[in-house]
């Protein structure tokens, strides 16, 4: 008997400590720290910025330790560039990398480009490009770019190939052959899909039960976690055996071993906001506030706000920089999946309530997401269904310059919603004082899903119009997207701002590394559609290898050859600003000047598209048979799925009317704890009935093919 009790006690303890998908729920009603000694919110002003002291500490000690060593490892004594590295006296440039949005294409292209500048990768090391990652201080990511960023940290900064494809050991890879929204095939009612949705809804309900408003971003965040966080494998995918990333917090990044060894750049995600009262379902203009998420802070360096909140407490209702209720702080809101989901929350632009469709997604992805949303909406009240709902930590701040000063909630959106598809803003913040900025641009700007410079141009425009006080200027760029195309600047690595006229230089150097057709004239596999949410292993591998090969190869003008000097040219560019830190300025070496002549964009004498001949623009599926196999294996499920969905919707519609009457009464009591804090908004709260419009329901129409979607202007 005693043994039995003992066993029971042990198993009870084990269960209590087991990870669960319900760890997605934030902890509410936590006693707040002493506000006399702990400031939740930091404020500064645009002309006198301050960084979070914890960020400064991390970045600076890294510069003096890991990065100093990494420069030596990468450049040796500098003689191969024509420099004496010792002469730079350790004053190396501060570098930031930027990974843009574009769904799984952006995540994979970003990973492959990073592998091409990673000193741990043999071919990158041999080419001389491997090392740039190690000397970088910052890594910003947005939307699809935020997924590779988060994945790197929460898997302890492994090599990129292992991260994406697994290592046969404790890394399981991204499992991209399991479709994001319907991993067991298109039939949303299949046994395994139902397990999957059950787990996801269980997570989301557990958050909703704390009284915090959820939205479609929450199930989306959970789907992202299955692929990019570390607790999901092929064998446990459809189980509740692990938390599948629930409970992993962005603010816990500093506990990760690689971080503690100062091996990683400082990560920053970007998210946009829809101003209060604006119902925009189209792209935003440039004025709405742009926010950033670091392991320490949720902040905005836009001049009008210039404030940040401790990320640990980001879910706490606050006014005038203080918790509304000192015994009701919230922690655990900064779920890693939800941070990545917020940065990739593009739904306000594609969720078509009138037709219950998600434009641009394939019909099966759209069905699956809407199915989950509809089940969610039958259980919980939401605020705005199509945005990431965050309590505003900045309520009451800077009413004369901050447009959302009187909001209790923020409506956060995909970081590219204002057209800035490359997360450049955090890297141009003056106080961060970056010397070199490296956009690894995988935007799908043109009809073949290649970048055309638009991300750079829009960020330059926003800086020019709104951020001059707070952010560094951009160097001269081609005047428009057409000029990016005509000069070939988007078809090969291009350096911008090579020759500043002032010292300190009036702008950082930009090393632009766009996703391009293979330099050797091969058929391209890396320009897939933003809304493709499933890849065969082979398609993924070919994409990765192509982008990796491009990243280490540079170009030789008028040929389809790799440039054997590209690695050293990249080193020249990375180190160039060190010359300006010495007095007198050290001259550029002859070798590096030759590189700059080839790779720099000189606005006086722009390069020409003819220098990059014979590049194939049109996507060629490297694994057409994989698609055929997949479709035939799922043919019956597909049919069943569509029929099943129609039946389901009919049942749902019937059930809803009865359910709504019954449920309405319960809303106010059930959500009392936190919702008491925003009761004034109850009256205008959106309800599920406004979204599920039974009479208007139509089956989603196909938008493009199931597997690619060329030329969409929305990016995530
Ligand atoms: C900026 O903030 C500092 C203190 O943090 C203050 O002394 C200064 O007046 C502020 N400047 C402006 C323009 O508000
Ligand atoms: C800038 O801000 C810091 C810290 O808030 C303050 O100590 C300093 O006086 C300010 N400098 C100026 C010129 O306002
Ligand atoms: C880094 O090194 C520089 C120069 O050696 C020194 O001035 C600075 O205080 C050091 N910073 C840290 C955080 O150790
Ligand atoms: C490099 O510079 C350092 C310090 O200025 C000097 O001691 C050293 O002799 C130089 N090395 C070469 C190879 O010129
Ligand atoms: C997953 O990552 C978290 C956070 O980095 C870490 O605590 C945990 O040990 C990792 N789990 C596995 C199974 O690797
Ligand atoms: C996987 O195992 C390696 C070697 O044991 C370890 O260094 C690494 O941190 C582990 N990764 C994760 C995500 O647990
Ligand atoms: C996991 O739990 C959820 C919620 O209870 C359930 O719907 C789902 O079916 C479970 N999955 C499995 C494999 O039992
Ligand atoms: C947003 O929608 C609400 C409710 O439909 C409406 O009252 C309001 O005027 C709209 N606001 C804007 C700026 O269009
Ligand atoms: C956030 O608050 C927690 C708890 O008071 C504290 O431990 C942590 O250092 C704070 N983080 C920052 C970046 O200030
Ligand atoms: C909040 O600010 C907006 C715009 O500044 C204004 O239209 C609105 O009336 C304000 N609402 C409240 C409750 O003060
Ligand atoms: C460049 O890309 C943008 C989308 O980012 C697109 O709207 C525009 O038409 C493209 N321009 C050219 C000349 O390709
Ligand atoms: C990448 O380059 C390697 C070495 O040159 C080559 O073997 C491989 O086929 C290339 N891969 C692709 C996809 O181009």
């Amino acid at each position: 008997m005693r043994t039995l009790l003992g066993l029971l006690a042990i198993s009870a303890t084990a269960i209590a400590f087991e990870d669960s998908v319900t760890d997605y729920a934030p902890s509410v009603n936590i006693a707040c720290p002493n506000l006399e000694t702990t400031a939740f919110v930091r404020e500064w002003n645009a002309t006198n910025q301050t960084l979070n002291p914890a960020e400064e500490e991390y970045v600076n000690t890294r510069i003096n330790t890991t990065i100093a060593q990494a420069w030596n490892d990468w450049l040796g004594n500098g003689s191969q560039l024509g420099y004496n590295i010792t002469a730079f006296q350790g004053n190396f440039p501060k570098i930031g990398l930027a990974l843009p949005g574009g769904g799984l294409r952006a995540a994979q292209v970003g990973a492959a480009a990073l592998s091409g500048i990673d000193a741990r990768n043999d071919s990158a090391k041999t080419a001389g490009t491997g090392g740039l990652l190690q000397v970088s201080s910052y890594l910003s990511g947005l939307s699809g770019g935020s997924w590779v960023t988060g994945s790197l940290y929460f898997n302890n900064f492994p090599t990129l190939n292992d991260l994406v494809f697994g290592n046969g050991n404790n890394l399981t890879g991204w499992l991209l052959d399991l479709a994001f929204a319907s991993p067991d095939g298109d039939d949303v009612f299949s046994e395994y899909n139902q397990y999957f949705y059950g787990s996801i809804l269980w997570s989301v309900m557990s958050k909703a039960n704390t009284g915090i408003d959820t939205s479609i971003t929450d199930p989306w965040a959970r789907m992202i976690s299955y692929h990019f966080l570390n607790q999901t494998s092929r064998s446990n995918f459809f189980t509740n055996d692990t938390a599948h990333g629930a409970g992993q917090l962005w603010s816990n990044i500093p506990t990760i071993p690689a971080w503690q060894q100062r091996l990683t750049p400082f990560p920053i995600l970007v998210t946009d906001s829809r101003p209060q009262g604006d119902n925009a379902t189209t792209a935003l203009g440039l004025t709405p506030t742009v926010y950033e998420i670091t392991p320490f802070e949720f902040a905005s360096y836009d001049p009008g706000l210039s404030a940040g909140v401790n990320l640990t407490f980001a879910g706490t209702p606050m006014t005038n920089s203080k918790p509304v209720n000192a015994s009701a702080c919230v922690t655990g809101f900064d779920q890693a999946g939800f941070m990545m989901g917020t940065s990739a929350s593009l739904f306000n632009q594609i969720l078509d309530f009138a037709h219950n469709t998600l434009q641009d997604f394939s019909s099966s992805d759209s069905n699956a997401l809407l199915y989950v949303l509809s089940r969610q909406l039958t259980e919980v009240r939401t605020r705005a269904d199509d945005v990431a709902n965050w309590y505003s930590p900045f309520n009451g701040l800077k009413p004369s310059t901050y447009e959302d000063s009187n909001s209790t909630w923020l409506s956060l959106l995909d970081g590219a919603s204002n057209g800035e598809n490359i997360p450049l803003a955090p890297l141009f913040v003056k106080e961060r004082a970056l010397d070199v900025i490296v956009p690894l641009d995988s935007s799908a700007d043109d009809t073949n899903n290649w970048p055309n410079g638009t991300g750079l141009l829009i960020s330059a425009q926003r800086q020019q119009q709104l951020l001059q006080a707070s952010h560094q200027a951009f160097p001269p760029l081609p005047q428009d997207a057409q000029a990016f195309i005509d000069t070939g600047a988007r078809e090969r690595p291009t350096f911008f701002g090579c020759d500043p006229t002032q010292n300190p230089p009036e702008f950082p150097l930009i090393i632009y590394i766009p996703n391009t057709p293979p330099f050797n004239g091969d058929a391209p596999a890396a320009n897939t559609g933003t809304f493709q949410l499933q890849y065969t292993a082979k398609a993924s591998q070919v994409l990765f290898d192509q982008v990796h090969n491009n990243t280490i190869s540079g170009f030789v003008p008028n040929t389809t050859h790799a440039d054997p000097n590209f690695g050293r040219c990249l080193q020249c560019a990375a180190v160039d600003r060190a010359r300006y830190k010495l007095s007198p300025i050290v001259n550029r070496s002859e070798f590096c000047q030759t590189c700059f002549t080839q790779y720099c964009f000189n606005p006086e004498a722009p390069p020409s598209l003819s220098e990059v001949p014979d590049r194939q623009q049109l996507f060629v599926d490297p694994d057409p048979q994989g698609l055929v196999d997949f479709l035939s294996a799922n043919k019956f499920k597909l049919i069943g799925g569509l029929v099943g969905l129609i039946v389901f919707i009919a049942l749902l519609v019937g059930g809803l009317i009865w359910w709504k009457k019954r449920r309405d009464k319960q809303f106010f009591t059930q959500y009392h704890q936190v919702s008491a804090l925003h009761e004034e908004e109850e009256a205008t709260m959106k309800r599920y009935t406004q979204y599920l419009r039974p009479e208007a329901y139509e089956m989603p129409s196909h938008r493009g093919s199931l597997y690619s979607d060329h030329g969409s202007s929305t990016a995530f």
Side-chain angles (χ1 to χ4, degrees):
M1 189 60 192
R2 269 183 69 183
T3 330
L4 188 58
L5 277 179
L7 272 179
L8 279 175
I10 288 167
S11 64
T13 317
I15 285 165
F17 283 94
E18 214 166 76
D19 293 334
S20 159
V21 294
T22 58
D23 297 345
Y24 187 67
S27 303
V28 296
N29 300 324
I30 300 281
C32 300
N34 181 350
L35 295 175
E36 307 292 315
T37 55
T38 312
F40 271 41
V41 176
R42 284 189 322 115
E43 287 183 60
W44 58 88
N45 51 45
T47 49
N48 186 12
Q49 297 172 324
T50 55
L51 300 180
N52 188 295
E55 171 185 335
E56 248 183 336
E57 194 275 334
Y58 183 82
V59 171
N60 288 341
T61 57
R62 214 168 98 71
I63 283 176
N64 281 6
T65 57
T66 336
I67 289 186
Q69 183 58 46
W71 278 108
N72 286 330
D73 293 347
W74 194 26
L75 303 188
N77 65 9
S79 57
Q80 82 282 13
L81 306 182
Y83 292 125
N84 177 349
I85 289 298
T86 321
F88 291 135
Q89 297 164 22
N91 287 310
F92 290 111
K94 206 194 257 190
I95 302 180
L97 310 170
L99 299 172
L104 291 180
R105 178 197 64 254
Q108 294 174 96
V109 172
L114 288 177
S115 84
I117 57 171
D118 186 343
R120 299 170 299 178
N121 179 284
D122 290 341
S123 61
K125 183 75 185 163
T126 306
T129 51
L132 178 58
L133 175 59
Q134 278 68 27
V135 299
S136 293
S137 289
Y138 287 92
L139 173 62
S140 64
L142 167 166
S143 205
S146 81
W147 302 346
V148 54
T149 305
S151 194
L152 262 175
Y153 289 81
F154 286 91
N155 288 285
N156 197 26
F157 219 74
T159 61
L160 280 303
N161 191 79
D162 285 359
L163 182 69
V164 178
F165 301 105
N167 64 359
N169 178 25
N170 57 358
L171 294 170
T172 58
W174 285 351
L175 306 174
L176 300 183
D177 56 321
L178 298 172
F180 244 56
S182 53
D184 183 40
D186 292 345
D187 179 1
V188 295
F189 298 106
S190 81
E191 185 181 0
Y192 286 97
N193 275 337
Q194 284 297 310
Y195 290 149
F196 177 66
Y197 302 137
S199 298
I200 281 182
L201 287 164
W202 197 14
S203 290
V204 178
M205 296 311 165
S206 66
K207 174 175 177 179
N209 281 337
T210 68
I212 295 174
D213 286 321
T214 58
S215 74
I216 194 172
T217 306
D218 291 278
W220 182 236
R222 294 300 299 136
M223 292 173 185
I224 292 166
S225 303
Y226 274 64
H227 295 275
F228 294 103
L229 298 181
N230 69 355
Q231 290 169 304
T232 304
S233 64
R234 203 170 286 282
S235 60
N236 73 14
F237 200 96
F238 296 100
T239 72
N240 291 320
D241 293 352
T242 76
H244 297 292
Q248 297 195 17
L249 306 180
W250 203 258
S251 59
N252 284 346
I253 286 179
T255 66
I256 290 167
W259 175 283
Q260 299 203 324
Q261 295 159 36
R262 301 280 188 270
L263 292 178
T264 68
F266 187 86
I268 308 179
L269 307 188
V270 171
T271 172
D272 291 347
S273 64
R274 185 166 67 184
Q276 185 187 31
D278 182 339
N279 309 325
T281 55
T282 55
L284 298 169
L286 292 180
T287 47
T289 309
V290 173
Y291 296 89
E292 61 168 54
I293 300 166
T294 78
F296 300 119
E297 255 179 6
F298 171 61
S300 177
Y301 285 83
D302 281 9
L305 180 50
S306 300
V309 67
N310 184 328
L311 187 67
T312 299
F313 298 104
T316 303
M318 287 195 254
T319 184
N320 297 317
S321 304
K322 295 208 164 35
V324 170
N325 176 344
S327 58
C329 270
V330 175
T331 59
F333 180 82
D334 59 315
Q335 299 281 328
F338 190 62
M339 300 302 100
M340 295 186 267
T342 295
S343 182
S345 189
L346 76 173
F347 297 101
N348 72 309
Q349 289 177 55
I350 59 168
L351 188 55
D352 179 350
F353 287 125
H355 298 99
N356 282 338
T357 57
L358 284 169
Q359 290 165 42
D360 299 328
F361 276 105
S362 74
S363 68
S364 59
D365 293 323
S366 173
N367 284 348
L369 275 158
L370 288 171
Y371 166 74
V372 175
L373 179 63
S374 66
R375 276 187 60 184
Q376 180 183 352
L377 293 177
T378 60
E379 300 285 346
V380 300
R381 179 202 64 185
T382 71
R383 171 160 305 272
D385 290 341
D386 57 346
V387 306
N389 293 303
W390 287 51
Y391 275 114
S392 175
F394 306 121
N395 176 271
L397 295 196
K398 315 208 178 174
S400 59
T401 54
Y402 175 45
E403 65 183 342
D404 285 322
S405 181
N406 66 8
S407 306
T408 331
W409 288 83
L410 297 177
S411 298
L412 298 186
L413 306 176
D414 188 286
S417 302
N418 67 358
E420 290 186 280
N421 194 42
I422 313 173
L424 293 170
L427 304 181
F428 276 80
V429 167
K430 280 185 178 164
E431 190 62 14
R432 290 198 170 111
L434 295 195
D435 301 295
V436 180
I437 290 169
V438 187
L440 299 167
D441 190 3
S442 58
S443 305
D445 290 326
D446 75 8
T447 49
N448 289 315
N449 294 330
W450 300 114
N452 69 17
T454 295
L456 282 175
L457 291 165
I458 294 187
S459 287
Q461 190 189 348
R462 189 165 193 272
Q463 191 281 338
Q464 180 71 30
Q465 286 174 9
L466 301 164
L467 307 179
Q468 291 203 26
S470 54
H471 291 61
Q472 293 197 64
F474 277 67
L477 300 171
Q479 73 270 20
D480 54 26
Q482 193 58 50
F484 262 91
I485 295 169
D486 295 343
T487 58
R490 61 150 190 168
E491 299 272 8
R492 39 90 165 187
T494 304
F495 310 157
F496 297 101
C498 292
D499 294 299
T501 58
Q502 298 168 22
N503 194 19
E506 63 272 31
F507 39 65
L509 176 71
I510 292 184
I511 301 176
Y512 182 58
I513 303 188
N515 186 27
T516 66
F519 69 90
N520 59 8
D522 279 357
N527 51 336
T528 48
T530 294
F531 292 88
Q532 179 176 334
L533 291 180
Q534 183 177 34
Y535 284 76
T536 67
K538 184 176 178 194
S540 202
Q541 189 72 58
V542 174
L543 180 160
F544 190 97
D545 290 348
Q546 268 190 6
V547 174
H548 177 90
N549 281 3
N550 267 351
T551 308
I552 67 176
S553 298
F555 81 115
V556 176
N558 310 314
T559 74
T560 51
H561 301 153
D563 177 2
N565 289 332
F566 179 58
R568 287 194 290 155
C569 288
L570 188 68
Q571 295 171 14
C572 285
V575 81
D576 196 64
R577 288 296 199 249
R579 301 185 301 108
Y580 296 82
K581 294 178 192 286
L582 294 175
S583 179
I585 297 177
V586 174
N587 286 332
R588 189 173 286 150
S589 72
E590 206 177 311
F591 175 79
C592 287
Q593 187 53 51
T594 309
C595 288
F596 274 43
T597 305
Q598 180 176 337
Y599 285 97
C600 289
F601 176 80
N602 176 356
E604 310 298 318
S608 153
L609 180 57
S610 65
E611 292 175 34
V612 276
D614 301 325
R615 267 57 165 183
Q616 288 193 49
Q617 304 291 325
L618 217 58
F619 175 77
V620 177
D621 187 345
D623 189 19
Q625 193 55 37
L627 176 65
V628 172
D629 290 348
F630 176 82
L631 283 179
S632 63
N634 289 280
K635 199 165 127 196
F636 296 105
K637 288 184 176 179
L638 273 171
I639 295 163
L642 294 187
V643 174
L645 196 69
I646 293 165
V647 173
F648 167 77
I649 295 292
L651 289 174
L652 185 67
V653 167
L656 271 178
I657 294 160
W658 163 82
W659 174 88
K660 180 192 182 304
K661 291 191 180 120
R662 188 181 72 100
R663 192 76 182 194
D664 256 3
K665 296 199 192 95
Q666 297 175 11
F667 274 123
F668 292 89
T669 46
Q670 189 170 343
Y671 295 101
H672 205 64
Q673 281 186 337
V674 176
S675 62
L677 297 162
H678 52 85
E679 242 158 17
E680 74 284 359
E681 295 168 40
E682 291 283 351
T684 55
M685 197 70 65
K686 289 182 176 178
R687 291 287 163 71
Y688 63 93
T689 40
Q690 287 172 263
Y691 299 129
L692 284 174
R693 297 198 182 130
E695 69 286 356
Y697 188 81
E698 290 170 15
M699 287 309 295
S701 57
H702 277 277
R703 302 241 172 191
S705 87
L706 194 55
Y707 288 90
S708 72
D709 150 72
H710 297 287
S712 165
S713 59
T714 319
F716 75 99

